[in-house]
Amino acid sequence: MDATADSTADSTADPEAAEPVRVLLVDDHPLLRHGLRALLEQVGGAEVVGEAGDGDEAVALALSLRPDVVVMDLVMPGTSGIEATRRLIDRDPALGVLVLTMSEDDASVFAALRAGARGYVLKGTGGAEFIAAVRAVARGEAVYGPAVARRIRRFLAPGPAVTPFPELTVREREILDLLASGKSNAEIARALFLSQKTVKNHLTSVFAKLQVADRAQAVVRARRAGLGE
């Protein structure tokens, strides 16, 4: 093959290989960030341009480095991933934020989407699926893992809008849903970015409105109504 042919072959190479996706990793666990960096750079052909351990640092680095994709954890010390995502999208609506988290409850999923995240995958996701999600978000696509997609489909499914426990507020129903899924007050507080005292106060109101004596009775009623799935 002559030099001209070699030049032509190079010009038609995979654009993702020629222009690696620039990624900012945001997670408060350095070991996880190290593993993600190795996966993205050694397997995914991406370029990790920076790492942040909390939401405030994430916002500063993203606005400075201008990555194609921000891989964002939700629960971190200080500013949460939800709030960091909201701030970033307010400043740069075209920025691709891919949430990577352990949380798959409805409250976390829809809070992230409302904040402007373009993708939402769980930390149990396989490496190939994660790399594909990063590339999809970089292309401007929306991407969600199977578990999250099922929740979105269920939320958008046609049919009569029957809301269980209409006497509860939206926040109280969110907390009851998480309680029915087996989460403790501390876990509920982290998922909804509330204090444990606020969660306890909401639960007291829930128990009174449902006329139940304790958590166990509330969980039974909630699960019979389809919450906590």
Side-chain angles (χ1 to χ4, degrees):
M1 183 179 293
D2 59 24
T4 302
D6 284 338
S7 175
T8 302
D10 290 342
S11 67
T12 58
D14 183 354
E16 288 183 342
E19 298 292 338
V21 176
R22 302 175 70 254
V23 180
L24 172 65
L25 298 175
V26 184
D27 195 286
D28 60 331
H29 294 94
L31 188 60
L32 177 61
R33 297 199 307 266
H34 177 77
L36 291 176
R37 175 186 283 272
L39 176 66
L40 287 167
E41 294 186 337
Q42 297 175 19
V43 179
E47 177 188 0
V48 176
V49 296
E51 299 181 18
D54 60 61
D56 290 329
E57 187 181 13
V59 172
L61 284 178
L63 295 177
S64 172
L65 298 173
R66 298 292 178 179
D68 301 311
V69 177
V70 177
V71 176
M72 181 79 73
D73 189 17
L74 291 186
V75 182
M76 297 178 288
T79 300
S80 70
I82 295 291
E83 179 59 27
T85 297
R86 185 179 295 111
R87 292 182 191 175
L88 286 173
I89 299 304
D90 284 346
R91 296 285 296 274
D92 184 2
L95 179 64
V97 175
L98 173 65
V99 169
L100 179 66
T101 180
M102 294 293 293
S103 304
E104 59 176 310
D105 56 272
D106 289 352
S108 296
V109 171
F110 293 111
L113 299 186
R114 285 193 295 268
R118 195 179 295 163
Y120 195 112
V121 295
L122 302 178
K123 286 184 177 178
T125 297
E129 184 179 346
F130 170 67
I131 291 171
V134 170
R135 290 175 175 170
V137 168
R139 293 193 298 267
E141 302 172 11
V143 59
Y144 312 102
V148 174
R150 283 195 298 271
R151 289 180 177 274
I152 295 174
R153 285 196 300 269
R154 184 181 65 186
F155 181 80
L156 298 176
V162 178
T163 302
F165 310 119
E167 65 270 32
L168 301 182
T169 66
V170 173
R171 177 63 81 192
E172 288 170 347
R173 197 174 299 110
E174 287 178 335
I175 289 174
L176 180 59
D177 183 41
L178 293 174
L179 180 70
S181 70
K183 295 194 183 312
S184 67
N185 284 13
E187 291 170 327
I188 294 172
R190 287 195 296 270
L192 298 181
F193 310 104
L194 301 172
S195 70
Q196 291 191 50
K197 181 178 179 181
T198 298
V199 171
K200 184 178 180 180
N201 290 340
H202 279 303
L203 285 174
T204 299
S205 176
V206 168
F207 297 164
K209 290 180 179 180
L210 298 186
Q211 297 182 347
V212 297
D214 53 29
R215 299 170 69 92
Q217 291 182 11
V219 167
V220 169
R221 286 205 58 189
R223 289 180 176 171
R224 286 175 178 170
L227 298 183
E229 297 179 352

